[in-house]
Amino acid sequence: MSLQRRLIPLAALLLAGLPAGHSVAAEKPLWELGVGISALSLPDYRGSDESSLYAIPFPYLVYRGTFLKADRNGIRGTFFGSDRIELNVSLGASLPVNSDENPARQGMPDLQPTVEIGPSLDFNLWRTADRRYKLDLRLPVRTAVTVKEGMDDIGWVFSPRLNLDISDVAGLAGWNMGLLAGPMVGSERNHEYFYSVAPQYATADRPAYDAKGGYAGSQFLMSVSKRYPKYWLGAFARWDSLKDAVFADSPLVKRETYFAAGVGIAWILRESSTLVEDTD
């Protein structure tokens, strides 16, 4: 399987997971289908000082059902008899890393591409009457597995975060902004996969290291998007800090802070003739 084909699901997960903003109630198609292309600048892994630029296609899917929705905010359902509490499907992914091309990992096993999936219990803390501003507390817990040559369990991650969605930001009709921030926590197995150095791979410049579970730093993300009649535009910028993370002293951590960014465009090829009232 080529590197680009392995990265297609990653692009879909990254761009699908962007906070997309909320708008006032309007009639919209029940479903939309399309295809897009993204450009992503990402580090090899959190803490790496090596990064690359990728151009990756991704599918565009929106479904606005009564109890089930699928869009750029993820796959989610409304339960508990309240639209203030949602149980969502939370997704994440990481890139494959060829250790021979990453100086910090030379001589170590390659990092396989991973996928993270799990539930997220989301609470609406505040919103304006017209829903142009909406503040949520999101509590996603995800299991991580490798997805090349078999699926190996590499632990879990928990990333509670506050998410603020703003519609028609700065008076620009149709432009939505999402702001997200929060800490990250990971299991020992997850941190071992990315940051441990087994004794047989230790060198004079890379001592053996045994990563522990616990606090894994914090993330801050800003995204903007707009839906035009026949296409969608989106972009994000993310800042990561590994300061005080339990693995911050790993010899594989070369930078405690870094930026990642991406842009995407999707063309809507087909949409439902059935219209439904929607506020997302």
Side-chain angles (χ1 to χ4, degrees):
M1 182 182 293
S2 70
L3 175 62
Q4 185 183 48
R5 288 179 61 191
R6 291 201 302 267
L7 290 176
I8 290 174
L10 175 69
L13 293 177
L14 287 175
L15 290 173
L18 296 183
H22 293 255
S23 59
V24 295
E27 286 196 334
K28 300 177 183 178
L30 175 63
W31 54 263
E32 302 172 10
L33 293 174
V35 64
I37 185 78
S38 62
L40 305 172
S41 176
L42 302 169
D44 284 358
Y45 55 89
R46 296 183 71 233
S48 174
D49 58 355
E50 298 289 324
S51 61
S52 299
L53 181 65
Y54 304 94
I56 312 169
F58 64 92
Y60 178 93
L61 168 65
V62 173
Y63 179 76
R64 303 181 178 97
T66 303
F67 299 105
L68 179 67
K69 299 179 184 293
D71 55 24
R72 295 177 300 277
N73 291 311
I75 302 170
R76 64 195 191 280
T78 301
F79 300 92
F80 315 110
S82 171
D83 63 355
R84 298 273 183 171
I85 305 175
E86 291 182 344
L87 184 62
N88 298 346
V89 176
S90 178
L91 301 171
S94 72
L95 292 162
V97 176
N98 183 336
S99 292
D100 289 339
E101 298 177 358
N102 185 291
R105 295 189 56 87
Q106 282 186 353
M108 296 182 65
D110 296 339
L111 290 177
Q112 304 303 320
T114 71
V115 168
E116 301 170 2
I117 185 169
S120 177
L121 189 59
D122 299 346
F123 299 88
N124 175 236
L125 302 180
W126 170 81
R127 65 191 180 201
T128 57
D130 60 7
R131 300 198 180 195
R132 293 187 184 278
Y133 294 83
K134 186 173 182 285
L135 179 66
D136 294 333
L137 171 64
R138 300 181 178 180
L139 303 174
V141 180
R142 301 192 296 260
T143 295
V145 296
T146 60
V147 291
K148 182 185 177 185
E149 299 176 356
M151 298 178 64
D152 294 325
D153 177 12
I154 57 167
W156 54 265
V157 294
F158 173 52
S159 51
R161 51 196 58 190
L162 288 173
N163 182 84
L164 176 65
D165 286 326
I166 306 172
S167 295
D168 299 335
V169 64
L172 300 174
W175 281 99
N176 302 312
M177 174 180 287
L179 301 172
L180 180 151
M184 302 181 69
V185 177
S187 68
E188 182 172 355
R189 183 181 299 177
N190 187 265
H191 293 170
E192 284 179 343
Y193 182 73
F194 291 100
Y195 303 107
S196 283
V197 178
Q200 62 268 35
Y201 302 118
T203 66
D205 298 323
R206 187 177 63 206
Y209 183 81
D210 183 19
K212 304 299 182 183
Y215 178 66
S218 55
Q219 286 188 340
F220 305 86
L221 183 145
M222 179 180 71
S223 68
V224 293
S225 66
K226 183 173 182 177
R227 166 69 155 84
Y228 290 89
K230 294 299 181 182
Y231 63 96
W232 169 88
L233 291 176
F236 78 93
R238 191 186 77 205
W239 181 70
D240 273 50
S241 172
L242 301 184
K243 182 176 174 58
D244 297 326
V246 293
F247 52 77
D249 55 350
S250 167
L252 301 178
V253 174
K254 297 301 183 180
R255 297 186 62 180
E256 284 196 347
T257 61
Y258 68 88
F259 283 93
V263 296
I265 181 171
W267 292 268
I268 292 83
L269 304 179
R270 297 190 63 184
E271 60 184 38
S272 171
S273 59
T274 301
L275 300 180
V276 296
E277 187 175 273
D278 185 70
T279 58
D280 293 342

